[in-house]
Amino acid sequence: MTDGGDHGDHHEEHGSELSEMQLRVRALETVLAEKGYLDPAALDLMIEAYETRIGPHNGARVVARAWIDAAFRSALIEDATKAVQSFGLINRVGDHLIAVENTPTLHNMIVCTLCSCYPWEVLGLPPVWYKSAPYRSRAVNDPRGVLADFGLTLAPDTQIRVWDSTAETRFIVLPMRPAGTDGWSEEKLAALVTRDCMIGTGLPKQPNEVA
Ligand code: FE
């Protein structure tokens, strides 16, 4: 909005509470609907899905299930797209999901060096830093440095493998199950699974970090 900066917020001067961007989006939506390119009801469903149903809690359930169910874990590594379908998640047409598993000697990390490709169906909307130029370039050139910025220091002999997402291929990291969680339910385990540990810029929470 091109209001005079000295005079504070003038969003109300046109009798509208909407920002310029919101007005533009609304205008575009109206034109597309009038021309028949867009079904407003379908759009509402998509927006509702992204606001309420889609988020990293889905990926957390997938990871927790893999931790307790060896057959599911194998299916996930084999074909993650197919394995997560059993969760009834919204699968974006054309996306191929690949699960990469951390081990005591291998740490996986995901990036999209070109733009911001991200496994929406399991992680929701990407964090701002994921789309930033520094993350996108440094994740490849200096993954250990990036992990240090996130407060994550791995053993020196742990290999770091960086996976570059594309429009067709998305990745989710399957982190190692924290020690001291024997006998935990899937729901309780899912509470340990953070968004960042599924991107590879973090680790799951420890048992003493959750109630
Ligand atoms: Fe991208």
Side-chain angles (χ1 to χ4, degrees):
M1 175 129 194
T2 52
D3 63 15
D6 321 337
H7 307 292
D9 194 307
H10 283 226
H11 286 190
E12 288 93 336
E13 69 190 3
H14 304 296
S16 167
E17 298 292 329
L18 298 175
S19 70
E20 182 171 316
M21 181 58 79
Q22 286 170 319
L23 289 169
R24 279 194 204 185
V25 169
R26 179 168 287 191
L28 190 60
E29 195 183 320
T30 304
V31 170
L32 291 174
E34 277 173 2
K35 292 190 182 292
Y37 290 117
L38 192 77
D39 174 1
L43 190 64
D44 285 346
L45 280 177
M46 280 175 68
I47 290 170
E48 201 221 321
Y50 278 102
E51 281 180 349
T52 60
R53 290 170 48 200
I54 301 183
H57 60 280
N58 290 320
R61 285 168 58 210
V62 171
V63 168
R65 175 80 53 88
W67 283 344
I68 60 174
D69 181 339
F72 178 76
R73 184 196 142 277
S74 301
L76 186 69
I77 298 297
E78 179 86 13
D79 184 344
T81 307
K82 207 162 129 191
V84 302
Q85 271 167 10
S86 61
F87 286 79
L89 306 177
I90 291 182
N91 190 17
R92 300 213 304 169
V93 177
D95 285 4
H96 181 49
L97 184 67
I98 296 173
V100 289
E101 187 175 26
N102 287 349
T103 71
T105 53
L106 176 69
H107 183 87
N108 295 284
M109 186 174 156
I110 57 178
V111 66
C112 176
T113 54
L114 271 182
C115 45
S116 58
C117 299
Y118 191 73
W120 292 37
E121 69 271 44
V122 280
L123 295 189
L125 301 173
V128 172
W129 55 259
Y130 185 83
K131 300 186 266 188
S132 73
Y135 178 75
R136 283 160 37 213
S137 55
R138 284 190 61 221
V140 175
N141 296 333
D142 180 21
R144 217 168 277 273
V146 170
L147 292 183
D149 288 347
F150 277 89
L152 179 57
T153 308
L154 301 170
D157 58 341
T158 299
Q159 191 197 336
I160 301 174
R161 194 171 290 166
V162 179
W163 300 87
D164 194 356
S165 308
T166 67
E168 292 84 28
T169 307
R170 310 297 166 91
F171 298 92
I172 178 174
V173 174
L174 175 55
M176 285 186 288
R177 178 173 174 166
T181 58
D182 288 356
W184 282 31
S185 69
E186 185 178 313
E187 197 186 355
K188 206 172 163 193
L189 286 168
L192 299 174
V193 183
T194 63
R195 177 195 67 198
D196 287 6
C197 81
M198 295 182 281
I199 303 176
T201 52
L203 295 178
K205 290 179 189 169
Q206 291 302 307
N208 60 9
E209 291 179 72
V210 294

